[in-house]
Amino acid sequence: MLAQSSKCLTLHCEHECLLYLLLISVTGQPAKTKRPKEPGENKIRPVNKKVKPKNARMKERESVDSSLKSQSMLTQVMDKGHFQKVAATLSLSAGQSIELRCKGSNVTWSYPAYLDTFKDSRLSIKQLGRYSQLVLTNSTAADTGEYSCWLQLCSANKCRKDETKAGSTYIFFADKEELFVPTPSYFEIVYLNPDKPAVVPCRVTTPSAKVTLHREFPAGEIETDGTDITYDVKKGFVYQHPTSDHKGIVYCKAESQGAPQISIKYHLLYVEVPKGPPSTTIAVSSSRAEVSESVHVTCTVLGEPDVDVNFRWQYPGQESKRPVIIQNFWRLMNRGTGHTTRISKSILVVEDFEVRDAGNYICIARNLQGETTVATEVELN
């Protein structure tokens, strides 16, 4: 203890000495004194230690969370009242029924268009308080497609889609007898525009089916290189950069655990018509008409095959409710160089021409790009 007491005297203060003796009595070992630190020693020194970047992980987590959030609105009702979040794709057997629910008090649904076209009673949609319910019974191969829902944000008389609160899934209804999703017709036209991809929509009901594209004449399989021509199981074969060399009649072939099946035929037409308001002309059967004579005024538009044109007329006897006959129709014209043009016409017929029928006949043609107005005059002879 004397040695210990003498050592204690060398300490700078009495308080520290007491602590020193207390530590020895408890542990039986003298305390280790700390050496004074050199200037700057408290600074963190670099070491060769790999540190995982937190920002990257956070960004990755955010992207996953946003993906899950978009799907979290949509759930599938399972047996015995169980629910599960819907995956990006579902595979069911034709004949099965399905019930989907979408959270929200103002929900809008999207589903294969033909269910609306034919007003199919197998489809039922109900808004039930805090969620909307979609039920499809006795499913068929034709029901294969995308089913999605989203919330509508409404203020006053306007509503818009809430992109942050939506969910979707693509459902395959497998049918061994129908490898291809059935269509209403046995022949379809596909327009090849040089400035946008074209799709040959031979979709399948079984995602594992092997699908190939074939040309009718000259007969042979068309190579799908994954670049110029790709295959999307939800869309069909996609021509990324259509040219006039791709025109012709094609079909698809699918194989899945059995004999191969052939799709309907698709007529690929190449189109090269400048986009813009309708290119419109007007012509009249006679610019001078006799009383009681019939007069025909024709308004013609040349445009893209898949672009609809709407016609409106203004004519002298319109205010007095003069009865006239208006006929609208269109047809496709092959220009002989592999290009196809749509000819749309509207014909106004005035029977038993009268004095009040003399004057200007105005045709207004409109498409998605705008409208064009043309006019001609008919005088009383």
Side-chain angles (χ1 to χ4, degrees):
M1 289 295 294
L2 291 174
Q4 294 170 356
S5 298
S6 62
K7 187 172 183 178
C8 177
L9 294 175
T10 62
L11 296 175
H12 296 293
C13 66
E14 184 179 357
H15 178 67
E16 291 183 348
C17 178
L18 292 174
L19 290 176
Y20 180 80
L21 293 175
L22 180 62
L23 180 62
I24 292 176
S25 64
V26 174
T27 63
Q29 297 292 332
K32 295 181 180 179
T33 59
K34 296 181 180 179
R35 65 176 178 82
K37 294 181 180 179
E38 298 293 334
E41 191 174 357
N42 281 333
K43 294 182 179 178
I44 299 175
R45 301 191 180 189
V47 292
N48 294 326
K49 182 179 179 181
K50 294 182 179 179
V51 180
K52 294 182 179 179
K54 294 184 179 180
N55 291 339
R57 175 173 290 183
M58 288 297 292
K59 288 182 180 179
E60 181 180 351
R61 184 179 299 173
E62 287 174 3
S63 64
V64 172
D65 289 345
S66 63
S67 175
L68 291 174
K69 184 177 180 181
S70 66
Q71 294 293 334
S72 63
M73 285 188 58
L74 189 61
T75 57
Q76 180 183 0
V77 180
M78 311 302 289
D79 294 335
K80 299 179 181 179
H82 293 128
F83 303 86
Q84 72 175 20
K85 292 181 180 179
V86 178
T89 59
L90 290 177
S91 292
L92 304 177
S93 298
Q96 284 186 261
S97 298
I98 186 170
E99 179 180 343
L100 300 176
R101 291 188 180 183
C102 194
K103 295 179 183 178
S105 57
N106 189 10
V107 175
T108 300
W109 290 89
S110 175
Y111 41 83
Y114 92 97
L115 288 169
D116 263 344
T117 304
F118 295 99
K119 297 181 179 179
D120 205 312
S121 60
R122 298 177 301 115
L123 178 71
S124 171
I125 295 178
K126 296 179 181 178
Q127 182 70 49
L128 302 171
R130 297 182 179 180
Y131 69 90
S132 181
Q133 175 196 62
L134 181 149
V135 177
L136 180 64
T137 60
N138 300 322
S139 62
T140 68
D143 299 325
T144 297
E146 184 173 6
Y147 294 76
S148 59
C149 66
W150 59 90
L151 288 187
Q152 288 275 37
L153 297 178
C154 298
S155 60
N157 295 327
K158 294 183 179 180
C159 293
R160 63 180 177 85
K161 180 179 180 180
D162 187 350
E163 299 289 350
T164 63
K165 295 181 180 179
S168 67
T169 184
Y170 190 96
I171 306 178
F172 296 91
F173 291 100
D175 187 341
K176 292 181 180 179
E177 304 299 323
E178 297 278 3
L179 285 183
F180 288 104
V181 179
T183 59
S185 61
Y186 294 96
F187 191 86
E188 287 188 14
I189 294 177
V190 176
Y191 299 108
L192 305 175
N193 292 276
D195 57 348
K196 64 181 179 180
V199 179
V200 178
C202 42
R203 298 179 296 126
V204 289
T205 62
T206 303
S208 60
K210 180 183 177 181
V211 188
T212 52
L213 182 64
H214 298 259
R215 184 187 303 105
E216 187 175 58
F217 182 83
E221 182 178 341
I222 299 174
E223 181 182 358
T224 306
D225 56 11
T227 303
D228 291 331
I229 302 178
T230 61
Y231 182 70
D232 186 331
V233 71
K234 298 179 183 180
K235 296 180 180 179
F237 287 95
V238 182
Y239 287 76
Q240 300 293 344
H241 308 286
T243 68
S244 59
D245 294 335
H246 294 138
K247 65 182 184 293
I249 297 177
V250 300
Y251 61 90
C252 301
K253 182 187 292 186
E255 296 181 42
S256 178
Q257 301 177 353
Q261 295 183 18
I262 303 298
S263 72
I264 67 171
K265 293 181 180 180
Y266 300 90
H267 192 177
L268 276 55
L269 297 176
Y270 186 71
V271 180
E272 195 173 31
V273 178
K275 289 187 175 181
S279 176
T280 313
T281 58
I282 192 169
V284 63
S285 57
S286 176
S287 59
R288 299 185 67 87
E290 301 282 350
V291 174
S292 299
E293 187 179 354
S294 292
V295 175
H296 294 68
V297 185
T298 304
C299 193
T300 304
V301 171
L302 299 180
E304 296 182 82
D306 54 346
V307 175
D308 290 329
V309 178
N310 296 316
F311 294 96
R312 289 189 296 113
W313 285 94
Q314 296 176 5
Y315 50 93
Q318 195 168 23
E319 291 186 1
S320 61
K321 297 183 179 179
R322 169 72 157 101
V324 296
I325 300 171
I326 298 177
Q327 298 175 329
N328 298 329
F329 61 93
W330 63 270
R331 65 182 177 88
L332 297 178
M333 180 184 71
N334 193 329
R335 291 160 50 190
T337 57
H339 300 168
T340 304
T341 300
R342 173 170 171 162
I343 302 177
S344 302
K345 288 190 177 185
S346 181
I347 301 176
L348 184 149
V349 180
V350 180
E351 296 180 328
D352 298 324
F353 196 84
E354 302 175 3
V355 175
R356 60 175 173 168
D357 296 321
N360 291 321
Y361 287 76
I362 301 171
C363 171
I364 304 168
R366 182 175 183 80
N367 63 13
L368 295 176
Q369 304 294 325
E371 66 180 29
T372 304
T373 301
V374 290
T376 188
E377 184 179 5
V378 179
E379 298 178 351
L380 180 64
N381 198 358

